């Protein structure tokens, strides 16, 4: 409410919400309160909507690597597990972060598999990382590191081939001397 007052009356933004390490969820809540009034039910419905919007990403990511019944089971488990619903009802920022991370992870998997339109997906990963930064700034670098590790593991055969070629080149150099 104090953040909304600072926005409406154009006063200094000195409340603790503006100075937080990750102010994204506070700003999102403040602008939602500005539009709809100070109703916590609306922001909680929005967080539940974020959980619901992450279901297709759960299905698609699982479908990339498993069969359709497994993907349906994963989406069903994701829909009915109590943790996402409880986090939404307790007004936490995790549902928003989860949606953005699943968005970025799905597009990163499309880049690693080099599916059609992977260049657009690479741009979407970068956009996702910029969007998640105000919500969880400490997540961006570990996410990039995890994606690099996944890329190396996904392309392990190409890397092993390259290493074998380098070893063969080194053996040829030693044989010539």
């Amino acid at each position: 409410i104090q953040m909304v007052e600072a926005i409406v009356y154009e006063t200094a933004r000195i409340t603790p919400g503006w100075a937080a390490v990750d102010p994204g969820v506070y700003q999102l809540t403040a602008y939602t309160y500005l539009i709809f009034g100070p109703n916590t039910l609306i922001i909680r419905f929005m967080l539940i909507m974020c959980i619901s919007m992450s279901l297709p990403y759960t299905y698609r990511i699982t479908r990339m690597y498993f069969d359709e019944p497994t993907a349906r089971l994963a989406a069903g488990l994701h829909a009915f597990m109590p943790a996402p619903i409880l986090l939404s009802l307790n007004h936490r920022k995790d549902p928003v972060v989860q949606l953005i991370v699943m968005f970025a992870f799905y597009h990163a998997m499309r880049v690693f598999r080099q599916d059609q339109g992977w260049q657009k997906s690479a741009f979407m990963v970068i956009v996702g990382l910029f969007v998640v930064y105000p919500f969880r700034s400490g997540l961006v670098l570990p996410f990039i590191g995890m994606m690099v590790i996944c890329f190396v593991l996904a392309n392990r055969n190409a890397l092993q081939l390259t290493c074998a070629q380098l070893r063969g080149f080194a053996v040829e150099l030693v044989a010539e001397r």
Side-chain angles (χ1 to χ4, degrees):
I1 303 282
Q2 293 172 344
M3 291 176 72
V4 174
E5 289 175 356
I7 295 169
V8 170
Y9 298 121
E10 296 179 1
T11 59
R13 297 180 177 185
I14 55 173
T15 59
W18 295 109
V21 174
D22 297 328
V25 73
Y26 304 120
Q27 293 173 359
L28 180 68
T29 304
Y31 285 110
T32 304
Y33 285 176
L34 183 67
I35 295 169
F36 298 107
N39 187 352
T40 60
L41 190 60
I42 291 174
I43 193 75
R44 290 176 188 187
F45 276 139
M46 190 179 73
L47 293 173
I48 291 172
M49 181 186 66
C50 288
I51 292 295
S52 300
M53 289 171 51
S54 66
L55 287 173
Y57 287 114
T58 302
Y59 178 82
R60 288 179 178 182
I61 291 169
T62 309
R63 186 71 180 105
M64 281 181 167
Y65 296 102
F66 299 102
D67 57 346
E68 188 171 338
T70 306
R72 286 183 184 173
L73 178 66
L77 285 174
H78 178 73
F80 295 109
M81 292 302 263
I85 296 167
L86 291 175
L87 290 173
S88 300
L89 293 176
N90 289 334
H91 199 166
R92 309 260 183 200
K93 61 184 163 188
D94 296 321
V96 177
V97 172
Q98 175 185 343
L99 175 64
I100 299 167
V101 167
M102 289 185 80
F103 170 82
F105 187 75
Y106 169 72
H107 285 289
M109 292 299 107
R110 288 195 61 199
V111 170
F112 295 157
R113 293 171 53 123
Q114 302 222 335
D115 290 344
Q116 185 177 6
W118 67 269
Q119 297 89 350
K120 181 180 165 186
S121 288
F123 176 73
M124 293 299 195
V125 170
I126 294 168
V127 168
L129 292 177
F130 276 115
V131 171
V132 82
Y133 185 78
F135 293 97
R136 289 253 190 235
S137 59
L139 179 73
V140 174
L141 287 178
F143 185 83
I144 293 171
M146 184 183 73
M147 290 296 105
V148 168
I149 290 170
C150 288
F151 181 74
V152 167
L153 291 176
N155 296 318
R156 185 178 58 202
N157 292 337
L159 291 174
Q160 287 175 344
L161 178 65
T162 305
C163 290
Q165 289 174 345
L166 287 174
R167 273 189 242 124
F169 181 70
V171 168
E172 289 176 15
L173 278 175
V174 170
E176 288 178 5
R177 290 186 181 193

